[in-house]
Amino acid sequence: MSFLKSLMARGAALSLAAAVAVSTALPTVAAFAEDTAAGAVPGGGVTAPATTQVENPYGLDALWAGGDFVARGTLIILVIMSVSTWYVMITKLVEQTLLLIKARAANATFWKAKTLKEGAKGLSPKSPFYFLATSGLEAVEHHEGSLVEKIDLHTWVGLSIQRANEQIVSRLQGGLAVLATVGSTAPFVGLFGTVWGIYHALTAIGIAGQASIDKVAGPVGEALIMTAFGLFVAVPAVLGYNWLVRRNKLCVEQVRTFSADLHNVLLAGGNL
């Protein structure tokens, strides 16, 4: 009997110890389950939580969708200015590059011809130097037996070449006024959009009766986009204008040099 009693006492002690161990391990298991669900892994490493992209409620889309006709009209004007700026810069760059190429071709072929007419035929009909050469030749050929015969040949040829020269220079300067206008007015157009947006932001704050950050951030941020957009339009226009003006001076110098040499050859009685 004593043996049975001792055996039963030992069984009760083991049961009590097992119950204590289970009760102690349950919080640890529950914490491990929570960490696993949160992205924790055994060994102390933590996996990166899944990121979700949140759409910006204060971007250009919100500005266009929430803006009135004045804000949208300001954006449209700035877009037109930007498109005009890049169009003028690209076309003027191509035009100036072609003129410099034709200037090298004219200096290489025209002055090596036996006659001025032969040299003019060797030039491209679309070249400004061809226009100068034909203008000078026509001035000499139509001087005799016409009303302009009363004007001396020197003055008549000089006026004809000068008029042709001015037409070419005027053509080269075309479009630069657009860049100057955009560069000087685009910041103020953007500033107007900013002032208009801030006005609406203050109106919304007054209606809401509170100036919390969520009430101010959106409208003011959208208004400041107008200023940034105005600078984005103006800066390329100013830089492009200064760059093209410097290149234009080089082109004009090439044209005037050619016209001066042509004038001297015609007055010297060169072989037409």
Side-chain angles (χ1 to χ4, degrees):
M1 292 295 292
S2 60
F3 174 76
L4 292 175
K5 289 181 180 180
S6 61
L7 184 61
M8 292 176 63
R10 289 179 181 180
L14 291 174
S15 300
L16 180 61
V20 172
V22 170
S23 62
T24 305
L26 281 177
T28 304
V29 173
F32 176 80
E34 292 178 358
D35 293 339
T36 303
V41 295
V46 178
T47 59
T51 58
T52 57
Q53 294 182 353
V54 180
E55 185 178 357
N56 183 12
Y58 306 128
L60 287 174
D61 296 337
L63 176 61
W64 179 263
D68 56 2
F69 72 97
V70 176
R72 293 182 179 181
T74 305
L75 281 176
I76 292 174
I77 292 174
L78 290 174
V79 169
I80 293 174
M81 285 183 170
S82 179
V83 172
S84 302
T85 297
W86 288 103
Y87 173 78
V88 171
M89 286 195 298
I90 293 173
T91 53
K92 297 302 295 183
L93 179 61
V94 172
E95 181 182 0
Q96 292 175 353
T97 303
L98 291 176
L99 188 142
L100 293 176
I101 294 174
K102 292 174 181 178
R104 289 193 294 267
N107 293 327
T109 60
F110 182 81
W111 303 113
K112 295 180 180 181
K114 296 180 180 180
T115 62
L116 293 178
K117 291 182 179 179
E118 181 181 346
K121 290 180 180 179
L123 300 176
S124 172
K126 296 182 179 180
S127 173
F129 303 98
Y130 175 83
F131 178 65
L132 284 172
T134 54
S135 298
L137 289 171
E138 290 176 358
V140 174
E141 292 175 353
H142 294 86
H143 181 263
E144 301 294 337
S146 61
L147 293 176
V148 296
E149 187 177 0
K150 297 181 180 180
I151 305 175
D152 62 279
L153 181 62
H154 182 280
T155 304
W156 175 245
V157 173
L159 290 174
S160 300
I161 294 179
Q162 183 180 359
R163 283 195 293 265
N165 197 348
E166 290 177 352
Q167 291 181 23
I168 296 172
V169 172
S170 178
R171 175 73 179 271
L172 288 173
Q173 292 178 348
L176 296 179
V178 175
L179 298 181
T181 302
V182 172
S184 59
T185 59
F188 297 102
V189 175
L191 183 61
F192 169 76
T194 300
V195 173
W196 187 261
I198 292 177
Y199 163 73
H200 281 282
L202 295 176
T203 303
I205 293 172
I207 295 175
Q210 56 181 351
S212 58
I213 189 64
D214 58 336
K215 298 293 184 182
V216 177
V220 173
E222 293 171 2
L224 293 177
I225 290 177
M226 291 289 193
T227 302
F229 200 10
L231 295 176
F232 175 78
V233 174
V235 170
V238 173
L239 295 178
Y241 174 80
N242 294 330
W243 181 45
L244 292 176
V245 165
R246 289 194 298 268
R247 285 175 57 90
N248 216 33
K249 291 180 180 179
L250 179 61
C251 295
V252 171
E253 186 64 27
Q254 294 289 333
V255 172
R256 289 178 176 173
T257 300
F258 183 87
S259 62
D261 294 340
L262 178 64
H263 187 201
N264 293 330
V265 171
L266 289 172
L267 293 180
N271 190 2
L272 300 181

